[in-house]
Amino acid sequence: MRIIKTVAAVLTLAFFGAMVAPNVQAQDDNAYLKRTKVTFSQQVEIPGQFLPAGTYVMELFNLNPNRNIVRFFNEDRSKLIAQVLAMPNLRLKTTGKTVIAFEERPTNFPEALKAWFYPGDNFGQQFVYPKMRAIELAQEAKEPVLAYATEPVTVEEMPTAPVVAETPAREEVQVTEVVEIPVLVAQAEELPKTASPIPMIALIGMASIGVAFAAKRFAAQRS
C-alpha cells in the first residue's frame, strides 16, 4: 500500500509540473517581448499606415541593443498587422503603466505614434518613419522625427537600415542628437527577471525516474 501511495504522489507531482510549465513559459514570453494590449479611441498613424480605432497588441521582435522591430497584432493576435522599426530612447522617469507618446498634429488630423514605453522600463521604443513622411511630421510637430536615410526599406532590411533624424528645417542630423540610446550593459540590467522553465523540466524528469523506481521495487516485492 505504501508503494502505491508513493507512485500516486509522484504521478501527481509530475502532472502538476506539466500543467504549470506552459503557464510559466507564457508569462516569460509576455515580459520578454514587452507584450502590451492598447486601445485607441480614434484612428492613429504608425509608420507606413493608419490604424482604425480599436484594440491592438504590441510586442518587440528581433531584439537588438540599438534597435527593435515592433509588431502590431489585432486584439487576439490572430493577425499580424504591421512591423515597424523603433530605436530605444531613455527617459528620466519610469511609470508603472504603459505610456504611448504622440507627435503633435494639426487639429482634426489622426495622431501619429512617436514612442512606446513599457511599464517599469526607463527606456522605450521611438518609431522610425519613412523619410518623406518624417519630414512632414517634423514640420508639423516642430521637432525632429526619426527616419530612414533611404527608402523603401523592407522588413528584412530594418535591422541594418541607416536611420537619421529629420528636423523641421528639412535637415538630417544624427540619431544620437534626438534620442539617447542605452548602452548594452544598461539595457541588460533593465531586462525583466523571469523564471526559467528548466527547473520545472528537471522536476518532471525526476518525477519520471521516481515512478520507474517505485514500479521496479513493487515488481520485486511481488516476485
Side-chain angles (χ1 to χ4, degrees):
M1 181 63 69
R2 179 178 297 177
I3 294 177
I4 294 177
K5 289 183 178 180
T6 301
V7 173
V10 172
L11 288 175
T12 300
L13 183 61
F15 176 76
F16 176 76
M19 293 293 291
V20 172
N23 184 52
V24 171
Q25 183 62 51
Q27 292 177 352
D28 289 351
D29 288 345
N30 288 338
Y32 182 66
L33 300 175
K34 313 292 185 185
R35 190 169 290 155
T36 304
K37 183 176 289 188
V38 295
T39 299
F40 301 117
S41 59
Q42 58 187 9
Q43 186 184 51
V44 298
E45 182 180 359
I46 64 173
Q49 64 178 286
F50 291 86
L51 299 180
T55 301
Y56 301 89
V57 174
M58 302 169 61
E59 64 180 45
L60 297 184
F61 176 70
N62 192 39
L63 278 69
N64 186 286
N66 296 323
R67 57 178 66 191
N68 293 303
I69 292 176
V70 178
R71 283 180 163 181
F72 289 80
F73 293 87
N74 60 347
E75 184 173 4
D76 62 3
R77 295 188 72 254
S78 61
K79 179 182 178 182
L80 176 61
I81 298 173
Q83 301 185 80
V84 299
L85 181 64
M87 308 289 287
N89 189 10
L90 288 172
R91 58 175 172 172
L92 297 179
K93 183 179 180 181
T94 62
T95 67
K97 297 181 180 180
T98 297
V99 174
I100 302 291
F102 295 91
E103 303 282 3
E104 292 187 13
R105 299 294 310 281
T107 306
N108 298 326
F109 279 77
E111 294 185 292
L113 265 66
K114 177 181 180 180
W116 160 44
F117 295 90
Y118 190 76
D121 282 353
N122 66 347
F123 65 91
Q125 307 300 323
Q126 187 153 335
F127 297 105
V128 179
Y129 279 81
K131 186 178 182 66
M132 296 309 298
R133 187 64 184 129
I135 293 174
E136 296 173 349
L137 288 173
Q139 293 176 331
E140 293 172 358
K142 304 295 189 296
E143 64 180 13
V145 175
L146 299 186
Y148 294 107
T150 59
E151 52 186 25
V153 177
T154 65
V155 173
E156 292 74 20
E157 294 170 333
M158 285 181 182
T160 57
V163 176
V164 297
E166 294 289 347
T167 70
R170 298 179 66 96
E171 297 177 344
E172 288 186 2
V173 298
Q174 295 296 317
V175 172
T176 51
E177 295 185 29
V178 178
V179 300
E180 186 177 353
I181 300 175
V183 297
L184 179 60
V185 174
Q187 186 184 32
E189 292 175 349
E190 295 300 325
L191 288 176
K193 298 179 181 179
T194 55
S196 170
I198 294 177
M200 188 60 65
I201 295 174
L203 177 61
I204 295 174
M206 292 175 63
S208 300
I209 295 174
V211 171
F213 177 77
K216 182 177 180 181
R217 182 177 177 185
F218 177 73
Q221 289 190 357
R222 288 292 297 268
S223 62

